[in-house]
Amino acid sequence: MTPAELSRTVLRSVRGAVEEQELSVPVPARIVVEPPPRPGCGDYASNVALQLAGPAGRPAREVAEILRKRLAGSAGIARVEIAGPGFLNFTLGDGALTALIRDVLAQGDGYGGTWAAQRPDDVGEVPGDGSGDAPDGDGSGDAFDGVLEGGFGPGAGPPAGGAREAVVGEVLGRIDAAAGLGGHRDGDRPALAPVPYDLDTLTARLGSDEARWVLLRPAAHDPVRLPERPVQRESNPRFRVQYACARARALVRNAGELGFVSEPGDVGEGRPAVVAQAVADARPASRPSPRHTAASPSPSPSLHALQTLLATYPSVIDVAARLRAPDRVVRHLEATADAFFRWHDDFPPLPVGEQKPLAVHRARLALAEAGGTVLANGLRLLGISAPAHL
């Protein structure tokens, strides 16, 4: 179940409560569900009961209990709990991740919006010179070594703002189309902090991908921090996202060479392989612990984070369109790439050593492929190349 599907399910429960006169409130047009602020509070949360309490003239927890009873047992929802003053916390069923992966892979380029299916695929290699990106230089320091606020040095000239306005306006047009808002809304552009270079100058200096990334990453009111040179290493957020995208595609190629393909299923979401092996090594073989063998595996934070980020990608597109904020997409891609690498390290998708490919490897490969799909869709939405090799 995706956040959008959960939102519609909650909305139906509100509508049903109103129709059967359990609640006397206007039915909201939409209901927001989002990841809870703390671990251990389920997969998603909603404050809909607090919003309805005032119009209903009833305590929020009482409204929440009405909705909880209606939502309990709904397809895809394993548990609904009331927290604090009246928040609803949702824990999804065991098949939620498998269903999400199938949904992402089935929609492909269309996941998160329909625009990608209507334009040519620009996935390709991003070598150091083919993409226009400058070389690393001496390779020292962080991605933003030598950053100069507002330009590359003194005497840069008066701010013009044209480069940022052009790129943000173009990307917002694609975000609007993906969100189903019908393309450009020229009269609804955000007020942007200016940049003292035109787009051609920035592209010549940084390469197309890096120039677009640094123009889109800050919030509208924040200044653009221009690096003196781009660097091809993981300290650079743009490189990290492209690297995660390329890594996901490489896993699919490598699996093909090993003779297996992806298949959504149980990814083995208990303890990470390295931790499980350490526990097994520390346990005497002749005296297995009943407590360990009977205990159900605890959820993996890295898996949960990646699942949440893949599931919420379409809602991030909607929020970016509504708030005129392409930086929301940029930061979501950064978080997705980071979560992908953490999960990848915890749960290797490919067999190791002499191990044969198992069902769990096919399932993990499907999750990696879904992660690569989301990253590629987001990069193309921003007009940045989604590499198959890096």
Side-chain angles (χ1 to χ4, degrees), residues 31-45:
I31 288 174
V32 175
V33 297
E34 55 190 2
R38 298 183 307 278
C41 297
D43 296 308
Y44 296 100

Side-chain angles (χ1 to χ4, degrees), residues 150-370:
F152 294 109
R164 194 178 186 191
E165 291 173 355
V167 171
V168 168
E170 171 204 321
V171 171
L172 282 176
R174 286 203 290 269
I175 289 175
D176 286 346
L181 300 179
H184 290 276
R185 293 188 284 165
D186 291 332
D188 196 15
R189 297 277 181 86
L192 301 169
V195 177
Y197 290 96
D198 60 50
L199 186 56
D200 289 342
T201 301
L202 288 178
T203 300
R205 181 64 180 260
L206 301 176
S208 176
D209 287 351
E210 186 77 3
R212 295 177 72 87
W213 189 270
V214 299
L215 292 172
L216 292 166
R217 189 174 191 263
H221 57 277
D222 289 337
V224 173
R225 303 178 71 231
L226 300 174
E228 289 190 347
R229 62 188 184 276
V231 293
Q232 299 284 80
R233 64 165 62 107
E234 291 184 30
S235 57
N236 181 342
R238 185 269 308 166
F239 175 81
R240 197 162 64 245
V241 171
Q242 289 182 313
Y243 181 41
C245 180
R247 178 59 182 156
R249 291 163 186 257
L251 288 169
V252 175
R253 292 194 303 272
N254 293 341
E257 294 171 0
L258 293 174
F260 74 99
V261 296
S262 65
E263 176 60 39
D266 181 7
V267 299
E269 66 266 31
R271 285 174 290 189
V274 64
V275 176
Q277 186 60 50
V279 171
D281 291 343
R283 188 183 307 151
S286 59
R287 299 178 60 186
S289 167
R291 180 172 63 86
H292 282 295
T293 56
S296 60
S298 57
S300 160
S302 62
L303 175 64
H304 185 267
L306 181 59
Q307 176 180 353
T308 299
L309 288 160
L310 299 186
T312 54
Y313 173 71
S315 64
V316 168
I317 301 303
D318 291 338
V319 170
R322 190 170 69 253
L323 300 183
R324 322 308 292 147
D327 59 286
R328 297 293 186 104
V329 180
V330 173
R331 295 184 185 280
H332 190 84
L333 294 181
E334 291 180 11
T336 302
D338 291 342
F340 173 85
F341 284 124
R342 287 194 298 269
W343 166 79
H344 173 281
D345 292 343
D346 284 346
F347 301 96
L350 300 181
V352 178
E354 299 299 319
Q355 189 179 25
K356 300 295 184 183
L358 304 173
V360 70
H361 295 118
R362 292 192 289 272
R364 291 176 185 175
L365 182 64
L367 177 53
E369 190 175 359

